[in-house]
Amino acid sequence: KRHPTEMGGAELETFLTHLAVAKKVSASTQNQALNAIIFLYRHVLKQPLDIKIDAVRAKRSRYLPTVLTPTEVTAVLKHLSGVHQLLAKLLYGSGLRLNEALWLRIKDLDFSQRQIVVRDAKGGKSRVTMLPASLIDDLKIHLRNVRRLHHRDLSQGYGSVYLPFALERKWPNADRQWIWQFVFPAQRFFKDPRSGVVRRHHLHESGLQRAIKQAVRRAEIQKRVSCHTFRHSFATHLLQNNYDIRTVQELLGHKDVKTTMIYTHVLNRGGRGVRSPLDDVSEQT
């Protein structure tokens, strides 16, 4: 063992090659190790590594997302209830990411035009996606309960909500207005560590994650399913229904259509829509 200050590019190349060849780690794990070492030298040892590294790089695997069939989606939803079922339906029906659904505010729901405005999503982008007609009545009932909760909080001296981008200074009273409240508020108050204000935040993501995990187990689905699986299923089922891939790209908020193209490889058509010759032989025998 030697001190890092006594080593350099040659040792770093050997170590990274060892990770890829002997340990057979993924490309992301190898990159994480490289970045950790660079951080060590630059910010801890104050010894920048201005070298070209020619280590053997781990091969990046091609990721294919897990997709549920419509029957499997129905089975999972049947084993959910209350707010968790409503959230899961929103993930599948609108193609939202989990945090996008949890961060929704009252003003982001447009019932008249049946659309949802997703603000400050991944990459700092905003987009508009669909609001399923079958969810409108359930959402309105849910919002009536949320509004009663908000009025009760106001009567007790609370009712404030976190506002992004320093909007609290721009609009001092907006944090108590109904339109800025979260669609899915938390059950309990918490003390904001930034301001010290006691307020409700949105639901924590772990609650829905646990509920979906239990629902998948009860539905006896032999797939690795997460909250994000509903978003994958949303995109795949739209493509199966012959919707234009550019439309799906806009609904998902993908910057590049190549990201959306991955769902064309998981369509339930078998081998890109090609019929297996075994099926022809089986029909004749």
Side-chain angles (χ1 to χ4, degrees):
K1 293 184 178 180
R2 296 158 55 195
H3 196 276
T5 55
E6 301 176 0
M7 294 185 284
E11 291 81 3
L12 181 54
E13 287 183 5
T14 302
F15 173 67
L16 294 175
T17 300
H18 170 75
L19 290 179
V21 177
K23 296 296 185 179
K24 300 192 182 299
V25 302
S26 66
S28 59
T29 301
Q30 188 188 44
N31 287 335
Q32 186 179 40
L34 171 61
N35 292 330
I37 293 174
I38 292 176
F39 181 88
L40 169 68
Y41 276 88
R42 288 181 180 175
H43 301 286
V44 179
L45 302 178
K46 307 298 182 181
Q47 181 180 325
L49 283 171
D50 297 326
I51 57 175
K52 182 179 179 181
I53 301 172
D54 294 322
V56 175
R57 305 310 297 266
K59 293 183 178 180
R60 186 175 295 276
S61 60
R62 186 178 183 181
Y63 170 72
L64 290 179
T66 300
V67 174
L68 297 173
T69 65
T71 302
E72 290 172 333
V73 171
T74 302
V76 175
L77 293 177
K78 283 183 178 179
H79 287 87
L80 293 170
S81 61
V83 176
H84 290 153
Q85 186 186 71
L86 186 60
L87 266 170
K89 286 182 177 180
L90 203 57
L91 298 183
Y92 174 64
S94 303
L96 299 178
R97 300 177 178 92
L98 174 56
N99 282 335
E100 291 173 349
L102 295 176
W103 293 344
L104 284 177
R105 299 178 190 260
I106 305 300
K107 64 184 182 62
D108 298 330
L109 302 180
D110 189 339
F111 291 108
S112 60
Q113 299 191 52
R114 296 182 181 178
Q115 66 183 23
I116 299 174
V117 181
V118 183
R119 304 181 189 276
D120 194 31
K122 188 176 181 180
K125 299 177 294 182
S126 298
R127 72 180 190 278
V128 175
T129 187
M130 65 184 71
L131 174 59
S134 59
L135 270 187
I136 290 179
D137 290 340
D138 291 340
L139 271 173
K140 287 183 176 180
I141 293 173
H142 170 74
L143 291 182
R144 283 200 291 267
N145 296 329
V146 173
R147 190 157 199 165
R148 282 195 293 268
L149 179 64
H150 177 55
H151 286 164
R152 189 181 70 186
D153 291 346
L154 288 174
S155 65
Q156 296 176 353
Y158 300 104
S160 171
V161 70
Y162 167 74
L163 297 182
F165 307 121
L167 292 180
E168 290 181 341
R169 294 197 300 269
K170 184 177 181 180
W171 299 320
N173 299 320
D175 60 339
R176 296 177 182 272
Q177 294 179 5
W178 166 241
I179 62 172
W180 286 98
Q181 302 303 307
F182 287 114
V183 175
F184 300 101
Q187 298 294 322
R188 302 177 180 177
F189 294 107
F190 89 107
K191 186 175 182 180
D192 192 328
R194 292 161 292 196
S195 62
V197 178
V198 177
R199 52 168 54 123
R200 288 187 193 274
H201 204 48
H202 57 68
L203 286 177
H204 196 272
E205 57 267 20
S206 61
L208 181 60
Q209 290 168 343
R210 286 194 300 267
I212 288 180
K213 184 177 181 180
Q214 294 173 1
V216 171
R217 184 169 58 249
R218 291 170 184 168
E220 298 181 350
I221 295 176
Q222 307 304 315
K223 294 180 179 180
R224 187 178 178 181
V225 179
S226 67
C227 296
H228 210 66
T229 304
F230 288 100
R231 176 175 161 90
H232 295 322
S233 303
F234 165 84
T236 304
H237 295 166
L238 285 182
L239 292 175
Q240 285 179 333
N241 292 331
N242 298 319
Y243 283 97
D244 180 73
I245 194 168
R246 291 287 185 179
T247 301
V248 178
Q249 176 192 0
E250 291 181 3
L251 292 173
L252 293 174
H254 288 161
K255 182 179 181 180
D256 194 333
V257 72
K258 292 181 180 178
T259 308
T260 316
M261 285 290 292
I262 192 173
Y263 297 109
T264 63
H265 300 290
V266 293
L267 293 177
N268 294 328
R269 297 175 182 170
R272 297 189 179 184
V274 179
R275 181 179 172 87
S276 171
L278 178 62
D279 295 335
D280 296 327
V281 174
S282 300
E283 290 180 358
Q284 297 173 8
T285 56

